[in-house]
Amino acid sequence: DIRNASLKEVYTDDKGRVPIIKYFNDFMKKYGKEDTKGLYLTGSFGTGKTYLISALLNDMAKKNIKSTIVYYPEFLRSLKASFGKDFDEQFNYVKKSDLLLIDDIGAENISAWSRDEILGPIIQYRMDEKLPTFFTSNLSIEELEVHLSESKDKIDKIKAKRIIERIKFITDDLKLISNNNRK
C-alpha cells in the first residue's frame, strides 16, 4: 500500500489528520526554497502514520526528489548482517538520502551500537546537511528518550538526551489520534 500511497487519496474526514495535512502542504511549498524540518509523527497502532508520510514521499518522488523508507528494527538487522559485505554502502545510502523516513523507531531492541554507532551518526549527518528526516513511532518523544537510554548493559541518559535534542531540532512533533485502521 505504501508504494502507491498518494496525498490525493488520503482521506481528510478524520480531523486528527488536519494538522498533518497542513504540515505536508507547508513542507511541499517550502522544500528546496528554504530549510525544511522533517516530522516526528507519533500515535497509536494502525492509525496510518507510515501511510501518510509515504504518501508525501511518493508525491515528492514525482518531482524527482529521492527518498528512503526504512523500517528501523529491520534496518538494524540488515546492517548487522552486512558486516564485511556492503555495510558502508547501506549505511551511507540511508544517511545521505534526500528525504528519509525512519519508520517505527522505538520498536527495536536498543543497544549502545544501534544508538551510538547507527542512529546518532545518521541524525547528526542529516542535521549538519539540513536533510529532512521523518520518524514514525508509537512512542512519544519523551518515551523514546527513555527507550534510547536503556540498553541491556546499562542506562545512559546523556547519550539518549543528545539524540532526542537533535531529533527535536530537525523535526516538528505531531501526534495522530485516530482509529486503528488494521482492525
Side-chain angles (χ1 to χ4, degrees):
D1 286 344
I2 65 171
R3 287 182 191 260
N4 299 316
S6 172
L7 291 176
K8 291 177 186 173
E9 296 177 13
V10 169
Y11 60 88
T12 56
D13 55 342
D14 183 342
K15 295 199 186 312
R17 293 175 178 225
V18 171
I20 298 159
I21 301 300
K22 182 183 179 319
Y23 163 85
F24 289 164
N25 288 331
D26 289 344
F27 180 87
M28 289 188 297
K29 286 177 193 169
K30 293 177 184 176
Y31 185 82
K33 298 175 187 140
E34 57 186 86
D35 291 343
T36 48
K37 283 187 167 189
L39 183 64
Y40 184 87
L41 185 57
T42 186
S44 56
F45 300 101
T47 56
K49 298 177 297 293
T50 303
Y51 184 87
L52 285 168
I53 294 176
S54 297
L56 170 67
L57 298 183
N58 288 340
D59 284 8
M60 297 297 285
K62 292 173 187 168
K63 299 176 182 181
N64 293 320
I65 300 163
K66 295 180 182 175
S67 63
T68 302
I69 299 172
V70 293
Y71 175 64
Y72 195 58
E74 181 57 34
F75 175 64
L76 293 173
R77 282 190 284 279
S78 175
L79 280 178
K80 280 183 186 177
S82 72
F83 284 133
K85 297 180 218 160
D86 61 351
F87 176 90
D88 287 338
E89 184 180 330
Q90 283 187 54
F91 180 74
N92 286 322
Y93 182 83
V94 167
K95 183 173 82 170
K96 295 178 179 182
S97 179
D98 292 342
L99 300 173
L100 173 63
L101 167 55
I102 298 177
D103 186 37
D104 221 359
I105 191 166
E108 74 284 359
N109 290 323
I110 196 69
S111 68
W113 173 79
S114 66
R115 181 193 59 219
D116 304 337
E117 303 299 324
I118 304 302
L119 184 61
I122 288 172
I123 293 171
Q124 183 67 45
Y125 180 87
R126 298 188 67 75
M127 183 177 77
D128 292 345
E129 298 299 319
K130 297 178 174 53
L131 295 170
T133 309
F134 300 84
F135 299 88
T136 64
S137 185
N138 298 118
L139 303 177
S140 69
I141 199 117
E142 294 79 16
E143 292 168 329
L144 181 63
E145 183 173 346
V146 171
H147 173 73
L148 291 174
S149 71
E150 299 171 347
S151 65
K152 66 179 180 179
D153 300 328
K154 64 178 184 173
I155 294 178
D156 197 333
K157 292 181 180 180
I158 299 297
K159 288 183 179 181
K161 183 128 189 98
R162 185 178 295 124
I163 288 172
I164 293 300
E165 288 304 310
R166 284 164 173 75
I167 290 174
K168 287 179 178 179
F169 183 77
I170 65 172
T171 64
D172 289 326
D173 185 5
L174 291 176
K175 184 169 188 159
L176 178 57
I177 300 169
S178 188
N179 297 323
N180 185 337
N181 296 314
R182 292 189 194 132
K183 289 185 178 182

